[in-house]
Amino acid sequence: MVIKISLILVLLSILPDNFKALADVDDQNNYNNDATLSSIKFSNYLGLNAVSSSRSSGCNTQAKSSESTKRQAMLHKEEDVDADISVKPREQSVKLHLKRWPVSHGTKSKASAFDSTARDLARIQILYRRITEKKNQNTISRKGREQPVSSTASISGNLIATLKSGASLGSGEYFMDVFVGTPPRVFSMILDTGSDLNWIQCVPCHDCFEQNGPHYDPNGSSSFRHINCHDPHCQLVSSPDPPRHCNTENKTCPYFYWYGDGSNTTGDFALEKFTVNLSNPSGRQNIKQVVDIMFGCGHWNRGKFHGAAGLLGLGRGPLSFTSQLQSSYGNSFSYCLVDINSNTSTTSKLIFGENKELLNQPNVNFTSLITGKESLDDTYYYLQIKSIMVGGEVLEIPEKVWDLSSEGAGGTIIDSGTTLTFFPNPAYNIIREAFREKIKGLPIKVDNTALDLCYNASGVQEIEVPEFGILFADGAVWNFPAENYFYQYDQEGVVCLAILETPHSALSILGNYLQQNFHLVYDTNKSRLGYSPTRCAEL
């Protein structure tokens, strides 16, 4: 199948390819307001020239039977699950049409792109340590604790928030505007399904990063309340090191939380009122205040948060915003990420509660979320990969690569806080070689690039890029449009695979670049992840 593809925006700059240097980038780098990664517009999103279409772009599909006995045996190992999934022996590809930007367009900062890639690499290393060492859990496991419940009465309808790309702030992450306190004041917070704690930079800010707008001032809100260090909820957060002793009745609950790139926040654990939009069955919207949301009031905050006021955790743990609202909206939320290069005027929606309109769409597909295993970290959303498809062929990757170990190592998570997608060896090497074998006629670019597989497409009008999809153990297939796994460096005519090897870890991470323009539903009640190709900016 061939789909005509049109590339309209490029943002990543030429970077050094030394991963150690990327991981060790100085926290004090200056940032500008340029996007880190580009979102590549392809004609299948614009409805152009779909040729000999055997499937819809990005949809869960069934491949035709393969003549390869070896692959047939692999796919039919579990007939009750995989009987309808096999492989086309011929290559499947999409064609990239490259546009040449004028020189004046190419003013994006190399430091900004460098920072984003470095943050991803360092984040993964610490995510892996957090999983194996349980460093953000107390001695008592959080899994057996009672879930916190807000005092909001049961709500019929959905809680709706607005999402926007952080590209104009030089970030590869996504932002959500949240109204906090009484009277409510708006703060732009990073959306992160890979963490639990909600936190905001607070007055007095003893050591804080630069943000857009003023810091949150608890003295200016009549609904702010400290959590006492004797309160059982104080055990849900990690204490600073060395720990502070709780020796008075009115002493506040201190917290410390750290992230994969060395970023961290320290302050007081507290309760506050959050204001959100409420959509009722008639489609009209009004404002709803949700009281007693547990959050971190951060007085010491370090990291590369690109102007954000803090972070909104959407992980599975009891401290996350989603978990705290379960009594109101249930066990489901959904979001749709616009192109990462979009400016802040281009928005989409984050919906808390069952999205019936999405669930009723014919092109929504599901794969299982892994639950119930002792080795799982209760923060993350785990998926079980069976293999990877490149150019319509299932790659012969040892299935043990995708498995969790008894220590919690390995496995696959989907994470909105990581930009690129990462796979461990030998999976990554096999994926990279599959792309190298199928992309013909272009010299490989090996110098001055941040990623591992780049091509010099200077002077070329179009190149063929193999299709890419993930085959899950339950039989589901997630196919991606080309702009989700390939992009072009700014002005240089260099086209790169937006996938990297997981550094020093067996963990696989599906980042937000791969998730662009899919409507994703996290249904923890039925332990499933839904995905549907969508023009997110039109929601």
PDB file of all heavy atoms in Angstrom, residues 238-250:
ATOM      1  N   SER A 238       6.728  10.330  49.673  1.00  0.00           N
ATOM      2  CA  SER A 238       8.073  10.078  50.170  1.00  0.00           C
ATOM      3  C   SER A 238       8.596  11.307  50.893  1.00  0.00           C
ATOM      4  O   SER A 238       8.390  12.446  50.452  1.00  0.00           O
ATOM      5  CB  SER A 238       9.012   9.729  49.014  1.00  0.00           C
ATOM      6  OG  SER A 238       8.622   8.521  48.395  1.00  0.00           O
ATOM      7  N   SER A 239       9.288  11.075  52.008  1.00  0.00           N
ATOM      8  CA  SER A 239       9.849  12.174  52.785  1.00  0.00           C
ATOM      9  C   SER A 239      11.178  12.611  52.194  1.00  0.00           C
ATOM     10  O   SER A 239      11.856  11.842  51.508  1.00  0.00           O
ATOM     11  CB  SER A 239      10.052  11.740  54.239  1.00  0.00           C
ATOM     12  OG  SER A 239       8.815  11.410  54.839  1.00  0.00           O
ATOM     13  N   PRO A 240      11.564  13.854  52.447  1.00  0.00           N
ATOM     14  CA  PRO A 240      12.906  14.294  52.034  1.00  0.00           C
ATOM     15  C   PRO A 240      13.970  13.447  52.719  1.00  0.00           C
ATOM     16  O   PRO A 240      13.710  12.789  53.731  1.00  0.00           O
ATOM     17  CB  PRO A 240      12.959  15.756  52.512  1.00  0.00           C
ATOM     18  CG  PRO A 240      11.525  16.169  52.666  1.00  0.00           C
ATOM     19  CD  PRO A 240      10.792  14.928  53.080  1.00  0.00           C
ATOM     20  N   ASP A 241      15.151  13.456  52.165  1.00  0.00           N
ATOM     21  CA  ASP A 241      16.270  12.701  52.722  1.00  0.00           C
ATOM     22  C   ASP A 241      17.331  13.698  53.211  1.00  0.00           C
ATOM     23  O   ASP A 241      17.867  14.471  52.411  1.00  0.00           O
ATOM     24  CB  ASP A 241      16.853  11.773  51.653  1.00  0.00           C
ATOM     25  CG  ASP A 241      17.877  10.813  52.204  1.00  0.00           C
ATOM     26  OD1 ASP A 241      17.951  10.685  53.451  1.00  0.00           O
ATOM     27  OD2 ASP A 241      18.606  10.196  51.407  1.00  0.00           O
ATOM     28  N   PRO A 242      17.653  13.744  54.493  1.00  0.00           N
ATOM     29  CA  PRO A 242      17.144  12.874  55.562  1.00  0.00           C
ATOM     30  C   PRO A 242      15.702  13.231  55.939  1.00  0.00           C
ATOM     31  O   PRO A 242      15.287  14.388  55.756  1.00  0.00           O
ATOM     32  CB  PRO A 242      18.097  13.150  56.732  1.00  0.00           C
ATOM     33  CG  PRO A 242      18.555  14.562  56.481  1.00  0.00           C
ATOM     34  CD  PRO A 242      18.649  14.715  55.005  1.00  0.00           C
ATOM     35  N   PRO A 243      14.946  12.263  56.449  1.00  0.00           N
ATOM     36  CA  PRO A 243      13.537  12.517  56.790  1.00  0.00           C
ATOM     37  C   PRO A 243      13.396  13.504  57.940  1.00  0.00           C
ATOM     38  O   PRO A 243      14.269  13.606  58.800  1.00  0.00           O
ATOM     39  CB  PRO A 243      13.019  11.129  57.181  1.00  0.00           C
ATOM     40  CG  PRO A 243      14.227  10.367  57.594  1.00  0.00           C
ATOM     41  CD  PRO A 243      15.354  10.873  56.740  1.00  0.00           C
ATOM     42  N   ARG A 244      12.290  14.234  57.923  1.00  0.00           N
ATOM     43  CA  ARG A 244      11.999  15.180  58.997  1.00  0.00           C
ATOM     44  C   ARG A 244      11.103  14.493  60.025  1.00  0.00           C
ATOM     45  O   ARG A 244      10.141  13.816  59.678  1.00  0.00           O
ATOM     46  CB  ARG A 244      11.300  16.415  58.437  1.00  0.00           C
ATOM     47  CG  ARG A 244      12.105  17.141  57.371  1.00  0.00           C
ATOM     48  CD  ARG A 244      11.304  18.277  56.760  1.00  0.00           C
ATOM     49  NE  ARG A 244      11.975  18.841  55.591  1.00  0.00           N
ATOM     50  CZ  ARG A 244      11.420  19.744  54.800  1.00  0.00           C
ATOM     51  NH1 ARG A 244      10.195  20.199  55.060  1.00  0.00           N
ATOM     52  NH2 ARG A 244      12.081  20.205  53.762  1.00  0.00           N
ATOM     53  N   HIS A 245      11.417  14.677  61.273  1.00  0.00           N
ATOM     54  CA  HIS A 245      10.656  14.024  62.334  1.00  0.00           C
ATOM     55  C   HIS A 245       9.356  14.776  62.604  1.00  0.00           C
ATOM     56  O   HIS A 245       9.303  15.998  62.587  1.00  0.00           O
ATOM     57  CB  HIS A 245      11.502  13.950  63.612  1.00  0.00           C
ATOM     58  CG  HIS A 245      12.728  13.121  63.463  1.00  0.00           C
ATOM     59  ND1 HIS A 245      12.687  11.757  63.321  1.00  0.00           N
ATOM     60  CD2 HIS A 245      14.050  13.477  63.424  1.00  0.00           C
ATOM     61  CE1 HIS A 245      13.916  11.290  63.201  1.00  0.00           C
ATOM     62  NE2 HIS A 245      14.764  12.319  63.259  1.00  0.00           N
ATOM     63  N   CYS A 246       8.306  14.013  62.826  1.00  0.00           N
ATOM     64  CA  CYS A 246       7.000  14.594  63.123  1.00  0.00           C
ATOM     65  C   CYS A 246       6.829  14.591  64.642  1.00  0.00           C
ATOM     66  O   CYS A 246       6.467  13.572  65.240  1.00  0.00           O
ATOM     67  CB  CYS A 246       5.907  13.771  62.451  1.00  0.00           C
ATOM     68  SG  CYS A 246       4.254  14.443  62.629  1.00  0.00           S
ATOM     69  N   ASN A 247       7.100  15.717  65.294  1.00  0.00           N
ATOM     70  CA  ASN A 247       7.104  15.741  66.755  1.00  0.00           C
ATOM     71  C   ASN A 247       6.130  16.739  67.352  1.00  0.00           C
ATOM     72  O   ASN A 247       6.105  16.949  68.552  1.00  0.00           O
ATOM     73  CB  ASN A 247       8.514  16.040  67.286  1.00  0.00           C
ATOM     74  CG  ASN A 247       9.122  17.248  66.614  1.00  0.00           C
ATOM     75  OD1 ASN A 247       8.415  18.103  66.084  1.00  0.00           O
ATOM     76  ND2 ASN A 247      10.459  17.303  66.646  1.00  0.00           N
ATOM     77  N   THR A 248       5.303  17.355  66.521  1.00  0.00           N
ATOM     78  CA  THR A 248       4.269  18.258  67.043  1.00  0.00           C
ATOM     79  C   THR A 248       2.947  17.944  66.358  1.00  0.00           C
ATOM     80  O   THR A 248       2.918  17.419  65.239  1.00  0.00           O
ATOM     81  CB  THR A 248       4.632  19.731  66.781  1.00  0.00           C
ATOM     82  OG1 THR A 248       4.717  19.948  65.378  1.00  0.00           O
ATOM     83  CG2 THR A 248       5.936  20.107  67.454  1.00  0.00           C
ATOM     84  N   GLU A 249       1.850  18.297  67.004  1.00  0.00           N
ATOM     85  CA  GLU A 249       0.534  17.970  66.481  1.00  0.00           C
ATOM     86  C   GLU A 249       0.184  18.745  65.221  1.00  0.00           C
ATOM     87  O   GLU A 249      -0.596  18.285  64.398  1.00  0.00           O
ATOM     88  CB  GLU A 249      -0.521  18.224  67.562  1.00  0.00           C
ATOM     89  CG  GLU A 249      -0.502  17.219  68.693  1.00  0.00           C
ATOM     90  CD  GLU A 249      -0.750  15.798  68.212  1.00  0.00           C
ATOM     91  OE1 GLU A 249      -1.590  15.614  67.290  1.00  0.00           O
ATOM     92  OE2 GLU A 249      -0.098  14.877  68.720  1.00  0.00           O
ATOM     93  N   ASN A 250       0.717  19.923  65.073  1.00  0.00           N
ATOM     94  CA  ASN A 250       0.332  20.757  63.934  1.00  0.00           C
ATOM     95  C   ASN A 250       1.418  20.861  62.871  1.00  0.00           C
ATOM     96  O   ASN A 250       1.385  21.756  62.032  1.00  0.00           O
ATOM     97  CB  ASN A 250      -0.059  22.157  64.423  1.00  0.00           C
ATOM     98  CG  ASN A 250       1.095  22.858  65.126  1.00  0.00           C
ATOM     99  OD1 ASN A 250       2.131  22.257  65.343  1.00  0.00           O
ATOM    100  ND2 ASN A 250       0.879  24.125  65.487  1.00  0.00           N
TER     101      ASN A 250
END
